[in-house]
Amino acid sequence: MTESIISLDSINPIEFFGVNNGKLDLLKKKFPLLKILSRGTQLKLSGAPEEVATAQEKIGQIISYLERNGNLSENYFEQILGDEERVDNFKDRNSNDILVFGPNGRNVKARTANQKKMVALADKNDIIFAIGPAGTGKTYTAVALAVRALKNKAVRKIILTRPAVEAGENLGFLPGDLKEKIDPYLRPLYDALDDMIPADKLSYFMTNRVIEIAPLAYMRGRTLDNAFIILDEAQNATDLQLKMFLTRIGSSAKAIITGDLTQIDLPKNQKSGLEKATRILRHVEGIGYLQLDEEDVVRHRLVKAIIRAYDAAKEREEH
């Protein structure tokens, strides 16, 4: 008698177990000599060693398919259990678009050509710059990549940071302590995480500093290693701040720097360090660069028109 515990953390468990545990029942029928128990995102197998090994192989094929494709019909689930050769015949050519499975079975995926390019760049480079206007999904895609890396145990923690720069408001006059003053500036990062991690698990990660969200100034003096780091709104970082951030990155870390050079909120006597950083680092090996545009906007359909109108007005003013 042997036992094996299989983790389903990398997939949506609902897709594995099926509606009313329909797929789990199929698995139990396929292996009647095994005791199969489901506990949250874990599957426990008990039985003869050879039976457990065979079941592990089949379950591994199903998990791999779900990691690539996100969903699996009950009919095909049954086919995989009967014939392992069928798995390669059903590969979805868009399977790599899915990054993580959020709460309630939501698939988080790259939705535009440049977002897909961003995923590919992040896989090939340790540092990437993703520049583009609001609504192009650069921050959301970056957070999804970080969550994927954490779920796959490629990193031990996620660090999300932003410059705490007033966008027309005065930070000092906001109510509350320092955290309460700063949290509104970090809210977009919280919102993205809410879409990708169940509330109880996110709370656990935040409490235990597996996921850390902090202003850019808090990065000074640290070495950020074994982590996936995102610097968001980097257009509001000065040259010295951006250099400080980039030189904090440890040998086993990945970093994504996002920003929009058309929305700089720094005081007039301070220059954004983002334009300089992308210019002087663009051709450094191991650093990727991506320019997103209005075609990548995934918000309301009018957002694209608004961005085009502002760009046209800017061109008229410059000429």
Side-chain angles (χ1 to χ4, degrees), residues 273-308:
L274 183 59
E275 187 278 330
K276 179 180 178 181
T278 56
R279 176 167 40 85
I280 66 176
L281 300 175
R282 185 175 299 197
H283 301 296
V284 174
E285 187 176 352
I287 298 180
Y289 174 84
L290 176 66
Q291 180 69 51
L292 298 101
D293 55 36
E294 67 270 11
E295 294 304 318
D296 298 296
V297 171
V298 291
R299 292 180 181 171
H300 192 285
R301 61 180 180 80
L302 288 175
V303 174
K304 289 183 182 181
I306 291 168
I307 291 171
R308 291 193 189 106

Side-chain angles (χ1 to χ4, degrees), residues 12-136:
N12 175 13
I14 297 172
E15 282 294 336
F16 184 92
F17 294 127
V19 179
N20 297 322
N21 285 332
K23 295 174 186 172
L24 182 60
D25 290 341
L26 291 173
L27 183 65
K28 290 178 178 179
K29 287 178 182 177
K30 173 67 179 178
F31 298 99
L33 300 180
L34 287 182
K35 185 178 181 181
I36 302 175
L37 298 174
S38 61
R39 296 175 179 174
T41 58
Q42 289 186 334
L43 199 65
K44 183 179 179 181
L45 310 178
S46 304
E50 62 273 14
E51 282 282 310
V52 170
T54 304
Q56 280 180 312
E57 183 180 355
K58 294 290 186 181
I59 292 167
Q61 291 170 359
I62 291 168
I63 290 173
S64 295
Y65 184 90
L66 283 170
E67 285 175 341
R68 293 194 305 265
N69 299 283
N71 53 66
L72 174 62
S73 70
E74 197 167 289
N75 180 53
Y76 185 46
F77 185 96
E78 193 169 18
Q79 290 180 37
I80 293 178
L81 291 177
D83 184 0
E84 65 271 13
E85 298 299 324
R86 288 179 180 268
V87 178
D88 291 334
N89 296 331
F90 284 81
K91 286 184 179 178
D92 183 353
R93 60 189 176 88
N94 295 318
S95 60
N96 290 332
D97 295 350
I98 298 173
L99 299 175
V100 293
F101 297 98
N104 302 318
R106 177 177 180 175
N107 293 340
V108 178
K109 61 171 68 179
R111 295 171 59 184
T112 71
N114 274 329
Q115 288 176 14
K116 293 171 187 176
K117 186 177 179 182
M118 184 174 170
V119 173
L121 280 173
D123 288 340
K124 294 177 183 176
N125 299 277
D126 288 334
I127 299 173
I128 70 167
F129 288 86
I131 314 299
T136 51

Side-chain angles (χ1 to χ4, degrees), residues 225-275:
D225 208 359
N226 293 309
F228 200 114
I229 314 147
I230 298 171
L231 171 56
D232 193 35
E233 298 287 347
Q235 76 275 4
N236 289 326
T238 65
D239 186 30
L240 287 176
Q241 285 177 325
L242 201 45
K243 182 181 178 183
M244 176 274 292
F245 171 80
L246 291 167
T247 55
R248 299 301 94 205
I249 298 170
S251 58
S252 300
K254 275 185 171 285
I256 297 180
I257 298 96
T258 70
D260 178 2
L261 289 168
T262 69
Q263 292 190 1
I264 297 172
D265 299 313
L266 288 167
K268 290 184 178 180
N269 62 338
Q270 292 184 346
K271 287 187 176 182
S272 170
L274 183 59
E275 187 278 330

